[in-house]
Amino acid sequence: MKHIDTSSLKVTQTIQLHKIPTFIDVATSEKKKEKELQKVREKLSKLQDKMYAHNKYGVLICLQGMDTAGKDSLIREVFKEFNARGVVVHSFKTPNSTELEHDYLWRHYLALPEKGKFSVFNRTHYENVLVTRVHPNYILNENIPGIEKVEDITPAFWDNRFESINAFEKHIATNGIIVLKFYLHLSKEEQRQRLLRRLETEKHNWKFSPGDLKERELWDEYQKCYEEAINRTSKEHAPWYIVPADNKETCRYIVAKTILETLQQYTDIKEPELEDEVKENIKMYHDKLASEK
């Protein structure tokens, strides 16, 4: 299998999405990709157990992408070896009435991972500078002082949102949450093919919504908003990775490999050692339990 340098997908300078490929040829079969993913999954699972015992870091995985980019299946395939207690998936949809009574980041704070655990955001706090930017009328539902109509939403409003998101991620990173953000970079043609499959395959019909086609008409606007969001918020403490997503198996492998390689850099993550007194008396404790037969 062709080597993939995941660091080359990390956004460290200004990018233009239309110049970045949505497909990468790894020169191997789908079966081989699945085997390689399995190897990475097993290593991630063991590392997560160690992180749980270490109890100092949490991991936040953010997944964004256009409809049909493969977020749901990626979550299923990448995290399937995890202990169920170690990972929680949050799918952020339209804010409900309770969530709208708070600021837009409130519900995301509540979903942050505990120490030793992973949280996966399937769609994220970035919806607040993506969907709401393409559909600014949604902002009116937040009942923000000074925002009475769409015309009140100025460029400064979005600047403040980006600043708040950067501050949010800096704060949680400083307090032990490892933040990794993945944009699943799908081509418009591949999206068309995947939507067609939803219509042509009866068991997948339920995934289709007429709204998918309306959003597809706004493809260029979404790409522009994604590009700006990524450029303004990819930081060393919370980097964006742009992952070619036209092939789902390759995309899953790259995301899993990136997570693993990032966590392996945290060499302080170790299982806790027993206190000296307990170590010295292990044989005594063993003998005591063994003698109870």
Side-chain angles (χ1 to χ4, degrees):
M1 184 170 175
K2 180 180 176 181
H3 173 70
I4 298 173
D5 179 10
T6 59
S7 65
S8 68
L9 305 176
K10 185 177 178 179
V11 177
T12 57
Q13 57 188 358
T14 302
I15 57 94
Q16 292 179 286
L17 280 176
H18 73 275
K19 293 184 177 180
I20 299 175
T22 59
F23 177 82
I24 182 171
D25 185 4
V26 294
T28 193
S29 66
E30 301 302 295
K31 189 173 183 180
K32 178 65 174 176
K33 291 177 195 174
E34 291 176 3
K35 287 183 178 179
E36 291 300 313
L37 175 58
Q38 175 64 25
K39 292 177 185 177
V40 177
R41 272 200 307 248
E42 291 173 356
K43 291 178 181 178
L44 271 176
S45 177
K46 291 177 182 178
L47 184 52
Q48 191 277 316
D49 283 340
K50 189 182 295 185
M51 287 185 65
Y52 185 81
H54 186 242
N55 197 40
K56 287 192 176 180
Y57 294 103
V59 181
L60 175 61
I61 306 297
C62 297
L63 300 177
Q64 286 286 163
M66 297 294 285
D67 290 336
T68 77
K71 298 180 291 295
D72 291 335
S73 61
L74 184 149
I75 292 168
R76 181 188 68 235
E77 295 301 321
V78 170
F79 298 97
K80 70 195 306 182
E81 300 292 335
F82 272 47
N83 187 312
R85 71 183 180 183
V87 59
V88 180
V89 178
H90 302 272
S91 295
F92 292 103
K93 300 184 184 299
T94 303
N96 61 37
S97 58
T98 299
E99 292 166 342
L100 286 171
E101 291 300 312
H102 299 269
D103 72 272
Y104 69 95
L105 286 174
W106 177 77
R107 63 177 181 163
H108 303 287
Y109 266 109
L110 295 180
L112 290 174
E114 300 173 25
K115 295 181 188 300
K117 295 186 178 183
F118 283 61
S119 282
V120 182
F121 284 5
N122 181 0
R123 297 190 184 276
T124 71
H125 44 294
Y126 283 93
E127 295 290 285
N128 297 288
V129 289
L130 293 168
V131 174
T132 55
R133 203 161 188 192
V134 176
H135 301 282
N137 55 297
Y138 292 173
I139 292 291
L140 302 181
N141 296 327
E142 297 181 27
N143 203 26
I144 300 171
I147 305 294
E148 304 297 333
K149 55 187 181 300
V150 168
E151 289 71 24
D152 294 329
I153 305 171
T154 65
F157 174 88
W158 299 113
D159 290 341
N160 287 333
R161 287 229 155 165
F162 284 123
E163 289 176 12
S164 294
I165 288 173
N166 281 328
F168 165 66
E169 292 175 351
K170 180 65 174 177
H171 172 70
I172 64 176
T174 301
N175 285 276
I177 293 180
I178 300 166
V179 183
L180 291 170
K181 303 177 294 192
F182 298 95
Y183 172 64
L184 308 190
H185 191 29
L186 186 73
S187 68
K188 191 174 183 180
E189 172 58 20
E190 179 61 23
Q191 188 197 59
R192 186 178 75 88
Q193 294 295 334
R194 292 181 185 182
L195 288 171
L196 281 172
R197 285 196 289 273
R198 288 182 178 182
L199 292 169
E200 294 167 353
T201 308
E202 187 174 351
K203 67 178 181 179
H204 294 315
N205 285 170
W206 66 273
K207 294 183 179 181
F208 179 80
S209 166
D212 296 339
L213 299 184
K214 291 182 181 179
E215 292 298 282
R216 179 174 165 79
E217 292 174 0
L218 300 169
W219 180 277
D220 291 343
E221 194 168 348
Y222 270 109
Q223 294 297 295
K224 180 181 176 181
C225 291
Y226 266 113
E227 186 172 284
E228 183 176 2
I230 291 169
N231 282 327
R232 296 186 66 167
T233 63
S234 190
K235 309 294 182 181
E236 190 57 36
H237 60 269
W240 276 103
Y241 290 82
I242 299 179
V243 184
D246 279 3
N247 181 277
K248 288 187 177 183
E249 287 75 16
T250 302
C251 180
R252 295 164 187 164
Y253 173 72
I254 290 173
V255 170
K257 186 172 187 281
T258 303
I259 297 170
L260 178 63
E261 290 175 348
T262 300
L263 296 181
Q264 287 175 332
Q265 296 174 27
Y266 289 78
T267 55
D268 58 323
I269 298 176
K270 298 176 182 177
E271 293 175 348
E273 294 187 8
L274 293 172
E275 296 178 3
D276 290 341
E277 182 181 351
V278 177
K279 281 189 201 176
E280 292 170 2
N281 291 290
I282 280 181
K283 185 177 185 306
M284 180 187 71
Y285 301 140
H286 175 274
D287 292 345
K288 182 177 180 180
L289 285 169
S291 67
E292 291 181 5
K293 290 182 180 179

